[in-house]
Amino acid sequence: MNTAHEHWGSRLGFILATAGSAVGLGNIWKFPYITGENGGAAFIIIYLGIVFTIGLSAMLAEITIGRIAQTDAIHAFRKIGKPGWSFVGVMGVITAVIILSFYSVVAGWCIAYVVKSAGGAFSGMDAEAIAGAFGTFVSSPLSPIVYHGIFAALTMAVVVAGVGGGIEKTSKVLMPLLFVMLIALAVRSVTLPGASKGLEFFLAPDFSAISAGTVMAALGQAFFSLSLGSAALLTYGSYVDKKTNLGKSVVQITFLDTLVAILAGLAILPAVFAFGMDPAAGPGLTFVTLPTVFNAMPGGYLFAIVFFVLLTIAALTSSISLLETVVSFFNNIGLSRRNATVGSGLLVFLLGIPSSLSVGIWSDIHFIKGQGFLDSASWMTDKLLLPVGGLLICVFTGWIIAPVAAKEVLGDGEPGILTRAWFIILRFVAPVAILLIILSGLEIIKF
Ligand code: PHE
């Protein structure tokens, strides 16, 4: 074991790196289309309710376990005295590898779209032609894999430089940049003629659109977006010094993650309405609908490039947290950071190849529920591994290490109403709610 566990240089560095992990494709690619598919404002209200109760509590739990243990996810559970629980860490690290493998493929598409937008590849095309171009690109055997490799290499370059020198420094530059770009895009979008219909969809709730399925969608999205349940937060928590106020930090991180999701919705949905496109276009909203919107928008050439750069940056600050989760473990069993990074980076790159091919020449090979490799990997992490990981983290903190966890969060302070609420959520509310998402995701129960 390495005796010197690394630490963040400052509290701000910790907040920005962790917000960087949370803010990603989940906020900018998924959140707007899931909101679009689930009726807009009413979905957002439910999402906010879940994020600031269950989401925030589970995030505080995961980060707290990390800070108590001051080691990687797999050693953490053993070190805080419960060896039988190390499988939660093992599952977390495996989940991180799986997510990263397909996340890097989609992030590779984002880099490709920076290049394509800058080269004017979509100029003059209508929606159908853009959809065709997207299909041709993602299904080609080589080029998406090359972009996936470029993205994986970028992720490795940051992680190899270490916690303070790589991850923290990069997050401190990229996160403010991301905010500036996103605000510029949101302002552009809401000031387009015809944007008001989109704003209304986004801000005026229609509660008749809410069903149990909407609540489940909001819970699943909250988990993915907050990076909960894959041990990435635990790993980042292990680099926090003992002076940092965890409760306050977690509120700030959750707030930033939510702000970015809302801004992304504001940047995307009003523009989609202004040009008469379908807000419920699903995953294609980013790669097909938006380039069409940019084509029709004054200044669209520049805004397209800004948007895809933004998406790549958001994905990078998330992927480094996933890779770090794996590297931290290998580092602790004796590999140098360099070897651990190169080894796990290569593994993730290789695992991503079938994901990439599954949208093209391997599209006939099916795994879970008739889905290809990429969709199966995403299904398995979204519907099973992340919620199960999150559930176990809540149960572990709420039932097994409660006194130690309370002391870690409170210091010498007395437990107040917030601490009590935290434990009620960890012990009862979150396990029941998460169990429901898992059972409904697996279609064992139907709403
Ligand atoms: N939170 C990231 C996003 O919104 C994805 C992620 C999930 C990152 C789990 C780390 C761990 O894109």
Side-chain angles (χ1 to χ4, degrees), residues 202-230:
F202 202 69
L203 298 174
D206 165 14
F207 283 105
S208 67
I210 295 295
S211 65
T214 322
V215 180
M216 295 298 132
L219 254 167
Q221 172 62 17
F223 261 71
F224 187 79
S225 186
L226 293 172
S227 299
L228 275 171
S230 72

mmCIF file of all heavy atoms in Angstrom, residues 202-230:
data_model
loop_
_atom_site.group_PDB
_atom_site.id
_atom_site.type_symbol
_atom_site.label_atom_id
_atom_site.label_comp_id
_atom_site.label_asym_id
_atom_site.label_seq_id
_atom_site.Cartn_x
_atom_site.Cartn_y
_atom_site.Cartn_z
ATOM 1 N N PHE A 202 -40.471 24.859 -20.547
ATOM 2 C CA PHE A 202 -39.442 24.624 -19.552
ATOM 3 C C PHE A 202 -39.843 25.123 -18.180
ATOM 4 O O PHE A 202 -39.447 24.586 -17.162
ATOM 5 C CB PHE A 202 -38.171 25.349 -20.024
ATOM 6 C CG PHE A 202 -36.920 24.813 -19.420
ATOM 7 C CD1 PHE A 202 -36.467 23.552 -19.764
ATOM 8 C CD2 PHE A 202 -36.199 25.567 -18.512
ATOM 9 C CE1 PHE A 202 -35.313 23.048 -19.205
ATOM 10 C CE2 PHE A 202 -35.039 25.064 -17.944
ATOM 11 C CZ PHE A 202 -34.598 23.802 -18.301
ATOM 12 N N LEU A 203 -40.643 26.197 -18.127
ATOM 13 C CA LEU A 203 -40.911 26.842 -16.840
ATOM 14 C C LEU A 203 -42.335 26.703 -16.319
ATOM 15 O O LEU A 203 -42.568 26.835 -15.127
ATOM 16 C CB LEU A 203 -40.547 28.341 -16.915
ATOM 17 C CG LEU A 203 -39.072 28.637 -17.211
ATOM 18 C CD1 LEU A 203 -38.847 30.137 -17.404
ATOM 19 C CD2 LEU A 203 -38.160 28.117 -16.114
ATOM 20 N N ALA A 204 -43.320 26.433 -17.205
ATOM 21 C CA ALA A 204 -44.697 26.351 -16.726
ATOM 22 C C ALA A 204 -45.117 24.885 -16.586
ATOM 23 O O ALA A 204 -45.275 24.189 -17.584
ATOM 24 C CB ALA A 204 -45.636 27.080 -17.690
ATOM 25 N N PRO A 205 -45.235 24.394 -15.352
ATOM 26 C CA PRO A 205 -45.483 22.960 -15.170
ATOM 27 C C PRO A 205 -46.884 22.523 -15.560
ATOM 28 O O PRO A 205 -47.860 23.204 -15.284
ATOM 29 C CB PRO A 205 -45.271 22.748 -13.661
ATOM 30 C CG PRO A 205 -45.427 24.084 -13.047
ATOM 31 C CD PRO A 205 -45.112 25.113 -14.078
ATOM 32 N N ASP A 206 -46.946 21.361 -16.213
ATOM 33 C CA ASP A 206 -48.233 20.750 -16.522
ATOM 34 C C ASP A 206 -48.239 19.411 -15.778
ATOM 35 O O ASP A 206 -47.651 18.433 -16.219
ATOM 36 C CB ASP A 206 -48.321 20.525 -18.039
ATOM 37 C CG ASP A 206 -49.447 19.575 -18.411
ATOM 38 O OD1 ASP A 206 -50.315 19.311 -17.551
ATOM 39 O OD2 ASP A 206 -49.450 19.079 -19.553
ATOM 40 N N PHE A 207 -48.891 19.419 -14.593
ATOM 41 C CA PHE A 207 -48.761 18.251 -13.733
ATOM 42 C C PHE A 207 -49.496 17.031 -14.260
ATOM 43 O O PHE A 207 -49.289 15.919 -13.784
ATOM 44 C CB PHE A 207 -49.175 18.590 -12.305
ATOM 45 C CG PHE A 207 -48.104 19.370 -11.593
ATOM 46 C CD1 PHE A 207 -48.242 20.732 -11.382
ATOM 47 C CD2 PHE A 207 -46.932 18.748 -11.185
ATOM 48 C CE1 PHE A 207 -47.228 21.456 -10.768
ATOM 49 C CE2 PHE A 207 -45.918 19.466 -10.572
ATOM 50 C CZ PHE A 207 -46.066 20.824 -10.361
ATOM 51 N N SER A 208 -50.334 17.226 -15.286
ATOM 52 C CA SER A 208 -51.013 16.054 -15.823
ATOM 53 C C SER A 208 -50.017 15.159 -16.565
ATOM 54 O O SER A 208 -50.290 14.000 -16.853
ATOM 55 C CB SER A 208 -52.144 16.489 -16.746
ATOM 56 O OG SER A 208 -51.590 17.109 -17.886
ATOM 57 N N ALA A 209 -48.820 15.725 -16.882
ATOM 58 C CA ALA A 209 -47.829 14.935 -17.612
ATOM 59 C C ALA A 209 -47.056 13.985 -16.690
ATOM 60 O O ALA A 209 -46.225 13.194 -17.137
ATOM 61 C CB ALA A 209 -46.856 15.865 -18.327
ATOM 62 N N ILE A 210 -47.298 14.098 -15.368
ATOM 63 C CA ILE A 210 -46.511 13.318 -14.418
ATOM 64 C C ILE A 210 -47.107 11.933 -14.192
ATOM 65 O O ILE A 210 -48.286 11.788 -13.907
ATOM 66 C CB ILE A 210 -46.477 14.050 -13.055
ATOM 67 C CG1 ILE A 210 -45.750 15.374 -13.192
ATOM 68 C CG2 ILE A 210 -45.837 13.195 -11.979
ATOM 69 C CD1 ILE A 210 -44.316 15.252 -13.537
ATOM 70 N N SER A 211 -46.242 10.911 -14.287
ATOM 71 C CA SER A 211 -46.687 9.560 -13.942
ATOM 72 C C SER A 211 -45.590 8.951 -13.068
ATOM 73 O O SER A 211 -44.541 9.569 -12.869
ATOM 74 C CB SER A 211 -46.846 8.732 -15.200
ATOM 75 O OG SER A 211 -45.567 8.581 -15.796
ATOM 76 N N ALA A 212 -45.837 7.729 -12.579
ATOM 77 C CA ALA A 212 -44.788 7.080 -11.792
ATOM 78 C C ALA A 212 -43.525 6.919 -12.637
ATOM 79 O O ALA A 212 -42.406 7.035 -12.138
ATOM 80 C CB ALA A 212 -45.266 5.733 -11.292
ATOM 81 N N GLY A 213 -43.712 6.698 -13.926
ATOM 82 C CA GLY A 213 -42.569 6.568 -14.827
ATOM 83 C C GLY A 213 -41.717 7.832 -14.846
ATOM 84 O O GLY A 213 -40.491 7.764 -14.943
ATOM 85 N N THR A 214 -42.375 8.991 -14.740
ATOM 86 C CA THR A 214 -41.640 10.257 -14.721
ATOM 87 C C THR A 214 -40.761 10.322 -13.476
ATOM 88 O O THR A 214 -39.610 10.765 -13.529
ATOM 89 C CB THR A 214 -42.631 11.447 -14.645
ATOM 90 O OG1 THR A 214 -43.759 11.154 -15.438
ATOM 91 C CG2 THR A 214 -41.979 12.730 -15.071
ATOM 92 N N VAL A 215 -41.328 9.883 -12.351
ATOM 93 C CA VAL A 215 -40.570 9.925 -11.105
ATOM 94 C C VAL A 215 -39.361 9.003 -11.192
ATOM 95 O O VAL A 215 -38.252 9.348 -10.778
ATOM 96 C CB VAL A 215 -41.469 9.523 -9.905
ATOM 97 C CG1 VAL A 215 -40.696 9.569 -8.608
ATOM 98 C CG2 VAL A 215 -42.693 10.424 -9.838
ATOM 99 N N MET A 216 -39.561 7.832 -11.781
ATOM 100 C CA MET A 216 -38.450 6.886 -11.941
ATOM 101 C C MET A 216 -37.368 7.469 -12.849
ATOM 102 O O MET A 216 -36.181 7.351 -12.587
ATOM 103 C CB MET A 216 -38.950 5.575 -12.565
ATOM 104 C CG MET A 216 -39.910 4.810 -11.696
ATOM 105 S SD MET A 216 -39.121 4.315 -10.167
ATOM 106 C CE MET A 216 -40.325 4.826 -9.007
ATOM 107 N N ALA A 217 -37.813 8.116 -13.932
ATOM 108 C CA ALA A 217 -36.849 8.721 -14.858
ATOM 109 C C ALA A 217 -36.039 9.797 -14.132
ATOM 110 O O ALA A 217 -34.822 9.916 -14.307
ATOM 111 C CB ALA A 217 -37.566 9.322 -16.056
ATOM 112 N N ALA A 218 -36.728 10.553 -13.262
ATOM 113 C CA ALA A 218 -36.043 11.625 -12.534
ATOM 114 C C ALA A 218 -35.021 11.046 -11.550
ATOM 115 O O ALA A 218 -33.906 11.564 -11.416
ATOM 116 C CB ALA A 218 -37.069 12.483 -11.798
ATOM 117 N N LEU A 219 -35.386 9.959 -10.882
ATOM 118 C CA LEU A 219 -34.457 9.332 -9.936
ATOM 119 C C LEU A 219 -33.210 8.798 -10.640
ATOM 120 O O LEU A 219 -32.081 9.022 -10.203
ATOM 121 C CB LEU A 219 -35.159 8.153 -9.258
ATOM 122 C CG LEU A 219 -35.602 8.339 -7.821
ATOM 123 C CD1 LEU A 219 -36.542 7.220 -7.419
ATOM 124 C CD2 LEU A 219 -34.422 8.375 -6.882
ATOM 125 N N GLY A 220 -33.432 8.088 -11.743
ATOM 126 C CA GLY A 220 -32.312 7.523 -12.495
ATOM 127 C C GLY A 220 -31.390 8.624 -12.997
ATOM 128 O O GLY A 220 -30.171 8.539 -12.880
ATOM 129 N N GLN A 221 -31.991 9.676 -13.523
ATOM 130 C CA GLN A 221 -31.213 10.795 -14.039
ATOM 131 C C GLN A 221 -30.425 11.471 -12.913
ATOM 132 O O GLN A 221 -29.268 11.829 -13.074
ATOM 133 C CB GLN A 221 -32.137 11.804 -14.737
ATOM 134 C CG GLN A 221 -31.486 13.106 -15.166
ATOM 135 C CD GLN A 221 -30.377 12.926 -16.196
ATOM 136 O OE1 GLN A 221 -30.271 11.880 -16.834
ATOM 137 N NE2 GLN A 221 -29.534 13.934 -16.343
ATOM 138 N N ALA A 222 -31.054 11.613 -11.747
ATOM 139 C CA ALA A 222 -30.375 12.255 -10.613
ATOM 140 C C ALA A 222 -29.120 11.467 -10.240
ATOM 141 O O ALA A 222 -28.054 12.044 -10.013
ATOM 142 C CB ALA A 222 -31.323 12.349 -9.420
ATOM 143 N N PHE A 223 -29.225 10.150 -10.215
ATOM 144 C CA PHE A 223 -28.069 9.317 -9.854
ATOM 145 C C PHE A 223 -26.925 9.473 -10.829
ATOM 146 O O PHE A 223 -25.785 9.677 -10.446
ATOM 147 C CB PHE A 223 -28.491 7.842 -9.796
ATOM 148 C CG PHE A 223 -28.747 7.420 -8.408
ATOM 149 C CD1 PHE A 223 -29.863 7.892 -7.749
ATOM 150 C CD2 PHE A 223 -27.857 6.615 -7.727
ATOM 151 C CE1 PHE A 223 -30.088 7.553 -6.441
ATOM 152 C CE2 PHE A 223 -28.071 6.268 -6.421
ATOM 153 C CZ PHE A 223 -29.191 6.729 -5.772
ATOM 154 N N PHE A 224 -27.254 9.335 -12.117
ATOM 155 C CA PHE A 224 -26.203 9.410 -13.129
ATOM 156 C C PHE A 224 -25.567 10.794 -13.101
ATOM 157 O O PHE A 224 -24.353 10.948 -13.100
ATOM 158 C CB PHE A 224 -26.784 9.109 -14.513
ATOM 159 C CG PHE A 224 -25.741 9.005 -15.583
ATOM 160 C CD1 PHE A 224 -24.994 7.846 -15.716
ATOM 161 C CD2 PHE A 224 -25.492 10.065 -16.435
ATOM 162 C CE1 PHE A 224 -24.014 7.741 -16.691
ATOM 163 C CE2 PHE A 224 -24.512 9.972 -17.424
ATOM 164 C CZ PHE A 224 -23.777 8.800 -17.552
ATOM 165 N N SER A 225 -26.428 11.819 -13.027
ATOM 166 C CA SER A 225 -25.917 13.179 -13.111
ATOM 167 C C SER A 225 -25.034 13.541 -11.922
ATOM 168 O O SER A 225 -24.037 14.239 -12.068
ATOM 169 C CB SER A 225 -27.080 14.163 -13.225
ATOM 170 O OG SER A 225 -26.586 15.446 -13.435
ATOM 171 N N LEU A 226 -25.392 13.066 -10.740
ATOM 172 C CA LEU A 226 -24.588 13.411 -9.560
ATOM 173 C C LEU A 226 -23.370 12.488 -9.402
ATOM 174 O O LEU A 226 -22.641 12.577 -8.431
ATOM 175 C CB LEU A 226 -25.446 13.363 -8.299
ATOM 176 C CG LEU A 226 -26.558 14.429 -8.200
ATOM 177 C CD1 LEU A 226 -27.456 14.152 -7.005
ATOM 178 C CD2 LEU A 226 -25.966 15.835 -8.093
ATOM 179 N N SER A 227 -23.147 11.584 -10.357
ATOM 180 C CA SER A 227 -22.041 10.612 -10.300
ATOM 181 C C SER A 227 -22.156 9.663 -9.118
ATOM 182 O O SER A 227 -21.152 9.186 -8.586
ATOM 183 C CB SER A 227 -20.663 11.315 -10.208
ATOM 184 O OG SER A 227 -20.418 12.117 -11.303
ATOM 185 N N LEU A 228 -23.389 9.383 -8.682
ATOM 186 C CA LEU A 228 -23.575 8.572 -7.484
ATOM 187 C C LEU A 228 -23.459 7.085 -7.749
ATOM 188 O O LEU A 228 -23.960 6.601 -8.754
ATOM 189 C CB LEU A 228 -25.003 8.804 -6.965
ATOM 190 C CG LEU A 228 -25.180 10.004 -6.070
ATOM 191 C CD1 LEU A 228 -26.657 10.240 -5.819
ATOM 192 C CD2 LEU A 228 -24.451 9.749 -4.766
ATOM 193 N N GLY A 229 -22.817 6.370 -6.826
ATOM 194 C CA GLY A 229 -22.904 4.913 -6.848
ATOM 195 C C GLY A 229 -21.812 4.184 -7.608
ATOM 196 O O GLY A 229 -21.805 2.967 -7.644
ATOM 197 N N SER A 230 -20.861 4.927 -8.218
ATOM 198 C CA SER A 230 -19.809 4.212 -8.956
ATOM 199 C C SER A 230 -18.461 4.327 -8.256
ATOM 200 O O SER A 230 -17.438 3.984 -8.818
ATOM 201 C CB SER A 230 -19.653 4.814 -10.346
ATOM 202 O OG SER A 230 -19.029 6.073 -10.214
#
